[in-house]
């Protein structure tokens, strides 16, 4: 009888000890900051042997110059992974204040041999961006895709007009914004974005010329492959993009991409018909850009067939 009582007491002590340990575990688990979900979303946490890395190359502009097309076409290369959305880290103060850890968290997961590429067209014309990019990585490679600056102004306006109309908001005709008393209005922001030489001069104050590769946006649309071969060489990547990766879509009027038996075309906003602009105004626009274009050609050491 005594042995039965002692055995029962021993079982009770063991059960009480086990319960105490369980309760402690639950309390520490609920109060410890290291068990929150954020610990699993860390930008440095590996995912299947990969990591999120800061970009080794950035498409810095120009807006409405073909940056999305260039990014998607470069993404055909197996050694490239791209950030899917424009991050606007260096040109939006709210984002920049979040620091490089936040910027890294916006990047795709890659293996060490892959190159991470980000594109934000607003970087090119933002005065503070060149020095900020240099501080992140002085060796980063920069891609600048340009097109006829007069055509770019019209395309810029067309996008803004579309966005305004979608929200049922009025917007002035392009002729009214572009001309003031019959002359080109130099204060029009879309016009200022097309003064490539002014913006490039700020980048060249920080980066050497051979670290900035200029892509002909008009040529990329006409025939993507030659421009992409040049980009591959600039990025020091093995040639993996082929002419068979592209086919001309007669319905859309531009090239689409083909890889692993799947095709991909840019979204409907690409190739959107331009907003109307009078012939007289367009001629004045072309004349206005002659001197700025010449300065840009001298800076990059090549010329383009622009109006």
């Amino acid at each position: 009888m005594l042995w039965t009582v002692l055995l029962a007491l021993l079982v009770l002590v063991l059960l009480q000890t086990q319960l105490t340990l369980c309760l402690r575990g639950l309390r520490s688990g609920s109060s410890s900051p290291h068990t929150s979900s954020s610990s699993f979303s860390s930008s440095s946490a590996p995912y299947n042997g990969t990591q999120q890395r800061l970009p080794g190359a950035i498409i810095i502009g120009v807006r409405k110059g073909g940056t999305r097309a260039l990014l998607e076409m470069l993404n055909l290369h197996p050694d490239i992974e791209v950030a899917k959305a424009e991050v606007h880290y260096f040109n939006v103060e709210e984002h920049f204040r979040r620091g490089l850890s936040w910027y890294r968290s916006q990047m795709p997961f890659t293996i060490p041999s892959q190159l991470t590429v980000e594109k934000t067209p607003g970087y090119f014309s933002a005065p503070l961006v060149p020095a900020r990019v240099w501080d992140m990585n002085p060796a980063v490679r920069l891609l600048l895709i340009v097109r006829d600056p007069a055509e770019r102004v019209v395309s810029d306006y067309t996008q803004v007009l579309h966005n305004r109309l979608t929200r049922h908001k009025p917007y002035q005709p392009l002729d009214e914004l572009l001309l003031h008393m019959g002359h080109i209005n130099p204060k029009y922001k879309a016009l200022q974005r097309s003064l490539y030489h002014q913006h490039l001069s700020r980048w060249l104050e920080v980066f050497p010329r051979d670290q900035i590769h200029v892509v002909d946006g008009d040529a990329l649309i006409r025939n993507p492959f030659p421009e992409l071969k040049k980009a591959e060489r600039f990025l020091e990547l093995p040639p993996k993009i082929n002419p068979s990766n592209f086919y001309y879509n007669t319905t859309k009027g531009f090239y689409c991409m083909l890889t692993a038996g799947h095709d991909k075309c840019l979204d409907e906003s690409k190739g959107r018909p331009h907003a109307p602009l009078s012939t007289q105004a367009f001629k004045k626009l072309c004349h206005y850009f002659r001197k700025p274009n010449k300065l840009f050609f001298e800076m990059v050491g090549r010329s383009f067939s622009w109006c």
Side-chain angles (χ1 to χ4, degrees), residues 195-198 200 204 289-302:
L195 297 174
Y196 302 151
H197 72 291
Q198 289 186 0
L200 182 60
L204 292 177
F289 281 124
R290 284 181 184 173
K291 185 177 180 179
N293 288 349
K294 185 179 179 181
L295 293 173
F296 178 72
F297 297 164
E298 292 172 355
M299 295 173 77
V300 299
R302 60 183 293 194

Side-chain angles (χ1 to χ4, degrees), residues 128-188:
L128 298 178
V129 170
R132 290 176 172 182
V133 174
W134 173 271
D135 289 340
M136 176 200 71
N137 180 7
V140 67
R141 295 181 177 91
L142 306 171
L143 295 109
L144 173 67
I145 180 168
V146 294
R147 63 184 293 199
D148 187 317
E151 295 284 353
R152 198 219 63 82
V153 169
V154 182
S155 182
D156 195 320
Y157 170 85
T158 301
Q159 177 175 300
V160 175
L161 175 65
H162 175 78
N163 294 339
R164 298 278 296 189
L165 294 178
T166 301
R167 298 195 299 268
H168 304 288
K169 293 184 177 181
Y171 201 54
Q172 288 178 268
L174 179 54
D175 283 74
E176 293 181 9
L177 291 169
L178 194 58
L179 299 175
H180 178 67
M181 299 182 67
H183 299 284
I184 292 294
N185 176 16
K187 296 181 180 180
Y188 180 39

